[in-house]
Amino acid sequence: MKHTIVVIGASGTIGAHLSMRLEQTGHKVIRVSRSSGDYRADITDRASLELLFKNIGTFDAVANAAGDVIALPLEQITDESINFSIANKMMGQVNLVRTALPYIANRGAFALISGVLTDEPILGGVIGTMINGAVEGFVKSAAHEMPRGIRINCISPTVLTESETYHDFFPGFIPVEASKVVTAYERALLGIVNGRIIKV
Amino acid sequence: MKHTIVVIGASGTIGAHLSMRLEQTGHKVIRVSRSSGDYRADITDRASLELLFKNIGTFDAVANAAGDVIALPLEQITDESINFSIANKMMGQVNLVRTALPYIANRGAFALISGVLTDEPILGGVIGTMINGAVEGFVKSAAHEMPRGIRINCISPTVLTESETYHDFFPGFIPVEASKVVTAYERALLGIVNGRIIKV
C-alpha cells in the first residue's frame, strides 16, 4: 500500500535519505524543512506547524528527522543551553505530534527520533541523554492513548557513518549508515509496531 | 559514618519517612519544604535554592522527594500542563543538582526521584512518563561527569501504599510502603552506586 508521508527535516542527512527511499518505493513524500523543501516549517515554531498541517491535505504518516540539542560538559551547562534543547528536540517533537494529530489519517503513524545517548552517555552529552529520555518516554506512553488506530514509534540511531565531524565525540561507537536508519523508519512507518524504541 | 543530609520535600509522605529514618540511624537531617521545615525552598524557584545552599553550611548529600507533574489524557494535554511539569519535576530536580553542586562535600551524593510511569504507562500519564524519562536520562549521564567523587542516583517508586487516593489510577499495580522507598534512598545516599535507577 502506498502512503503519503510528511518528512520533517527533509534536508538533513537522515531526512534526505529517507525521502529518497520512500519515493523510490512508491510513496508520496512531502518534504518539510526550515528553509527548503515542499513546505517550510520549524518544529520549535508551533504556528508554523499548525499552518503546515492545515495546508498539506491528507497524509498517512509523519516522519521526523529534525531536532537539535546542545552538547556541553555538566558543569558548563547553562539555562539557555537546556531551554534551547527542550524547545527543540524535546518539545519540538512533542508539539509536532500534538499539532499533526487532528489532521493525520486513521491508522496513521508517527516516527520520532532520539539517539544512542539515551543508553550510552558521552562526555558533554548530559542534555542529549536527558532530552532523549523525555522523547522516548513520550513515545512509550502516548502510544497507548493514540486515537483512531494511530501509531507512534521512535528511531534511536547511533552516530551516522556520514556525520564524520561527530565521530571524535563518539569513541568506541560503531557508526551506522543512514540507509540502515532509513530502514528503521520504514519499519516504524509501514509496519504494525507501536510505542517501540527502534535502536539502529 | 554519619552524614549531614538535606531532604527536599521533607513534609511529603516520602520526605517525612526518609527524614525520620535518617535521624533514627544517627544522621543529621536538614528538612526543606516550600512552607515548613528547617529551611524553606521551592525546586521551581532557582533563587530559593541558591539561598538555601549558601545558608546551610556543609552537607554530604541531597535527597529529593519533591516534584509534581500534571496527569491528563493525551488529547487534553495543554502547553501549560507540560510547562508546569517541566519546570517542576524535571528542571526543578536538574536545577537542584546544578545549584547544590558547588556546595556539596567531596564524595557527596544526590538522590533524585522518578517513578514507575517511566516503564509502565497509565491513562493520563503521558507527561509523567516523559518527565521521568528526562530525569532518569539526566541521572544516567550526569553520573559520569560528576566532579570530586560525587555520586547521583534516582529512586523510582511505584505508587505508595500510603497514597490511597492515587490507587484507582494504578490498576494492577502492587503499591510499595514508604518505608521500602526510604530504604532505596539509603542505598543511593549511603552506598557506592552511581548513575543507577533504583526501582522499588
Side-chain angles (χ1 to χ4, degrees):
Chain A
M1 206 163 80
K2 301 310 173 186
H3 298 275
T4 298
I5 300 172
V6 183
V7 175
I8 312 281
S11 63
T13 306
I14 294 174
H17 279 82
L18 176 59
S19 299
M20 200 182 306
R21 171 86 58 84
L22 291 170
E23 279 182 344
Q24 283 168 350
T25 51
H27 301 286
K28 182 183 171 195
V29 174
I30 298 172
R31 287 177 168 82
V32 181
S33 284
R34 279 174 293 195
S35 53
S36 65
D38 303 313
Y39 289 86
R40 308 283 163 92
D42 181 337
I43 59 169
T44 68
D45 177 357
R46 189 80 187 269
S48 79
L49 294 175
E50 280 288 358
L51 207 60
L52 172 71
F53 293 113
K54 269 186 187 142
N55 286 338
I56 56 177
T58 328
F59 57 93
D60 303 295
V62 176
N64 182 56
D68 294 328
V69 295
I70 291 179
L72 279 174
L74 176 65
E75 293 181 278
Q76 292 170 33
I77 288 173
T78 59
D79 291 348
E80 291 69 28
S81 60
I82 297 175
N83 293 339
F84 171 91
S85 305
I86 289 175
N88 210 299
K89 191 172 185 178
M90 178 178 161
M91 290 312 302
Q93 295 198 87
V94 170
N95 286 335
L96 174 65
V97 173
R98 293 171 67 209
T99 312
L101 197 51
Y103 300 99
I104 194 168
N106 291 347
R107 308 192 66 76
F110 290 99
L112 303 189
I113 186 164
S114 58
V116 69
L117 292 191
T118 314
D119 301 305
E120 295 290 342
I122 60 169
L123 181 62
V126 170
I127 297 177
T129 301
M130 176 176 77
I131 296 297
N132 283 355
V135 171
E136 294 187 4
F138 176 76
V139 168
K140 287 190 288 184
S141 52
H144 298 282
E145 297 196 36
M146 283 281 163
R148 303 185 283 114
I150 296 162
R151 299 176 300 107
I152 181 169
N153 294 283
C154 186
I155 314 303
S156 176
T158 189
V159 65
L160 292 185
T161 305
E162 289 83 352
S163 304
E164 285 180 20
T165 53
Y166 289 113
H167 287 185
D168 281 352
F169 299 103
F170 290 84
F173 287 69
I174 297 171
V176 64
E177 293 153 27
S179 66
K180 290 182 179 160
V181 179
V182 164
T183 304
Y185 273 91
E186 288 182 308
R187 199 188 325 161
L189 295 169
L190 309 172
I192 62 165
V193 294
N194 189 26
R196 286 280 305 282
I197 313 302
I198 303 178
K199 297 181 188 181
V200 60
Chain B
M1 206 162 80
K2 300 309 173 187
H3 298 275
T4 298
I5 299 171
V6 183
V7 176
I8 312 283
S11 63
T13 305
I14 293 175
H17 280 82
L18 176 60
S19 299
M20 200 182 307
R21 172 86 59 84
L22 291 171
E23 280 182 343
Q24 284 168 349
T25 51
H27 301 286
K28 183 184 171 191
V29 173
I30 298 172
R31 286 178 170 81
V32 181
S33 283
R34 279 174 293 197
S35 54
S36 64
D38 303 314
Y39 289 86
R40 309 282 162 93
D42 182 336
I43 59 169
T44 67
D45 176 357
R46 188 82 188 268
S48 79
L49 294 174
E50 280 287 358
L51 207 60
L52 171 71
F53 293 114
K54 270 186 185 139
N55 286 338
I56 57 177
T58 329
F59 57 93
D60 302 296
V62 176
N64 183 56
D68 294 328
V69 295
I70 290 179
L72 279 174
L74 176 65
E75 293 181 278
Q76 292 171 34
I77 288 175
T78 58
D79 291 347
E80 292 67 31
S81 60
I82 297 176
N83 293 339
F84 172 90
S85 305
I86 290 175
N88 211 300
K89 192 173 184 178
M90 178 178 162
M91 290 312 302
Q93 295 198 84
V94 170
N95 286 335
L96 175 64
V97 173
R98 292 172 68 208
T99 312
L101 197 50
Y103 300 99
I104 196 170
N106 292 344
R107 308 193 65 76
F110 290 97
L112 302 189
I113 186 163
S114 59
V116 70
L117 292 191
T118 314
D119 301 306
E120 294 290 343
I122 61 170
L123 182 62
V126 171
I127 298 177
T129 300
M130 176 176 77
I131 296 296
N132 283 354
V135 172
E136 294 187 4
F138 176 76
V139 168
K140 286 190 288 184
S141 52
H144 298 281
E145 297 197 35
M146 283 281 164
R148 303 184 284 113
I150 295 162
R151 298 176 300 107
I152 181 168
N153 294 283
C154 186
I155 314 303
S156 177
T158 190
V159 65
L160 293 185
T161 304
E162 289 83 352
S163 303
E164 284 179 22
T165 53
Y166 290 113
H167 288 186
D168 281 352
F169 299 103
F170 291 84
F173 287 68
I174 298 171
V176 63
E177 293 154 26
S179 66
K180 289 181 180 161
V181 179
V182 164
T183 304
Y185 272 91
E186 290 182 305
R187 199 189 324 162
L189 296 168
L190 310 171
I192 61 164
V193 294
N194 190 28
R196 286 280 305 282
I197 313 303
I198 304 177
K199 295 181 188 181
V200 62

